[in-house]
Amino acid sequence: MKLDGMHHLTMITADARANVEFYADLLGLRLVKKTVNFDAPDAYHLYFGDEQGSPGSILTWFEFTGAARGHAGAGMIHTIQLGVDSEASLDFWEERLAAAGQPPQRGPGSLRFADYDGLGLELVVADPENSQLRAEHPEIPPEHALTGVEGARAFAGAELGADADLLTRTLGFSATAEGDGEAEYLLADERRFRWGYDPPSQRGVQGAGTVHHIAWHSRDEDHEAWRRRVAEAGMHVTPVIDRDYFLSIYFRQPQGVLFEIATTSPGFAVDEDPDHLGEELRLPRQHEHLRPQLERLLTPLENPRAGSGAGR
Ligand code: ZN
């Protein structure tokens, strides 16, 4: 039984409109679902990804309007690494980001920048083993489109090896490096994902621009077995929770990072035409009766893709 890479990452934003402008208009991801936080339905939950919202491409945000900016610290993810195809793609993005007033920092095989909330992002040349999970955007040539999430780095929240057994024996990561205040792991099945720790520099504050949790991708038929295995490793794991687009379990791992394990199915086309994903506000059944209030309360949000099916 193996995890098939990362499923999604979930962050906090103070501004849903800025979120759509940055991730859909500028970075060219597709807004694939416009729903609410199931546990706090007066807040948006927005999902971005490739054309289908494939696991491995998905970035999601809870909008807490006006939330104070936070910053990553011990036990929190500080950088999300997004794939591109080549160094030429990094040239393309260096120019596009600079033109948008977000001048990035170029390094070997890397382009670092921050989003409007201060979230750390890095474009990296993707692992050639990974399939390219692209979205379509009229200003972004397909060969330069983002290709999915390649990795993430967190500040350690405990000694570096505190979760080594959990990662390697229970979850199937391989340790690839340790030393100099860093530890690196590779999760490698059909989709590969690099997971790393840096020494903490400051105490973290959860808020806008911080990562809430990371979800790993389980094949549907393995999900119950993953729950048992994580519980047997001594983690306090939640029961299986139905998130409408996938099933989930959650546990906080020894470094302090909130881990989720999510299934492939049913996916984002379960309640919308695949050509029109993310165009209408979708509410989970238990909150459908709140629709009139929520439609008044939530900031109106236009999906840049609305009205056109594929492309714009
Ligand atoms: Zn999640």
Side-chain angles (χ1 to χ4, degrees):
M1 188 168 74
K2 282 183 163 182
L3 291 170
D4 193 8
M6 189 221 62
H7 188 286
H8 65 269
L9 276 148
T10 293
M11 282 64 72
I12 296 169
T13 183
D15 185 341
R17 275 195 183 147
N19 193 231
V20 173
E21 281 167 17
F22 194 90
Y23 288 93
D25 293 339
L26 179 60
L27 295 191
L29 299 179
R30 184 174 191 182
L31 173 59
V32 293
K33 194 63 63 184
K34 190 163 45 165
T35 184
V36 293
N37 183 333
F38 287 16
D39 304 318
D42 54 349
Y44 268 127
H45 192 182
L46 303 177
Y47 290 77
F48 298 82
D50 70 353
E51 284 299 297
Q52 288 79 37
S54 309
S57 74
I58 307 166
L59 300 177
T60 98
W61 276 265
F62 297 133
E63 184 206 32
F64 296 116
T65 313
R69 195 181 259 209
H71 60 256
M76 293 167 74
I77 293 171
H78 62 79
T79 301
I80 298 171
Q81 295 167 324
L82 303 171
V84 293
D85 185 53
S86 65
E87 287 280 344
S89 303
L90 293 176
D91 297 340
F92 169 85
W93 284 102
E94 190 171 16
E95 200 172 305
R96 181 169 170 84
L97 290 164
Q102 308 274 348
Q105 226 186 317
R106 184 76 180 254
S110 148
L111 205 56
R112 288 174 181 274
F113 55 107
D115 80 359
Y116 60 93
D117 275 329
L119 176 67
L121 298 169
E122 183 179 16
L123 301 189
V124 297
V125 176
D127 191 314
E129 299 282 316
N130 277 345
S131 55
Q132 302 205 334
L133 305 174
R134 295 191 180 102
E136 296 167 17
H137 185 291
E139 295 164 6
I140 301 170
E143 68 272 24
H144 297 322
L146 303 185
T147 60
V149 187
E150 289 287 315
R153 294 193 73 91
F155 290 123
E159 51 149 322
L160 274 178
D163 58 340
D165 272 4
L166 174 76
L167 291 173
T168 57
R169 290 196 198 160
T170 306
L171 299 177
F173 289 66
S174 327
T176 53
E178 186 173 347
D180 284 345
E182 290 187 0
E184 287 173 6
Y185 293 88
L186 178 68
L187 183 57
D189 190 26
E190 274 182 40
R191 203 167 169 83
R192 296 155 69 91
F193 191 86
R194 293 183 182 279
W195 175 242
Y197 295 112
D198 297 299
S201 52
Q202 55 188 347
R203 212 169 61 84
V205 177
Q206 190 95 79
T210 64
V211 178
H212 188 267
H213 64 264
I214 185 165
W216 309 104
H217 181 198
S218 160
R219 293 179 176 84
D220 294 345
E221 62 274 21
D222 294 340
H223 200 235
E224 279 290 348
W226 279 116
R227 189 178 180 282
R228 282 194 300 276
R229 193 187 273 195
V230 167
E232 280 161 13
M235 297 293 112
H236 292 283
V237 58
T238 65
V240 174
I241 299 173
D242 185 351
R243 293 303 188 192
D244 280 14
Y245 309 107
F246 41 82
L247 298 176
S248 290
I249 56 172
Y250 301 84
F251 56 100
R252 197 166 292 278
Q253 51 93 294
Q255 296 287 356
V257 182
L258 184 60
F259 274 11
E260 174 182 352
I261 297 179
T263 57
T264 313
S265 302
F268 295 105
V270 69
D271 62 355
E272 268 179 318
D273 174 349
D275 286 340
H276 294 279
L277 292 178
E279 295 182 14
E280 303 288 332
L281 177 67
R282 309 306 305 185
L283 297 175
R285 277 179 301 280
Q286 65 272 29
H287 297 319
E288 190 57 56
H289 68 285
L290 298 173
R291 182 176 285 274
Q293 291 107 287
L294 293 176
E295 285 183 342
R296 273 198 306 276
L297 195 69
L298 295 164
T299 315
L301 268 190
E302 176 106 26
N303 189 325
R305 292 282 290 268
S308 65
R312 270 196 255 185

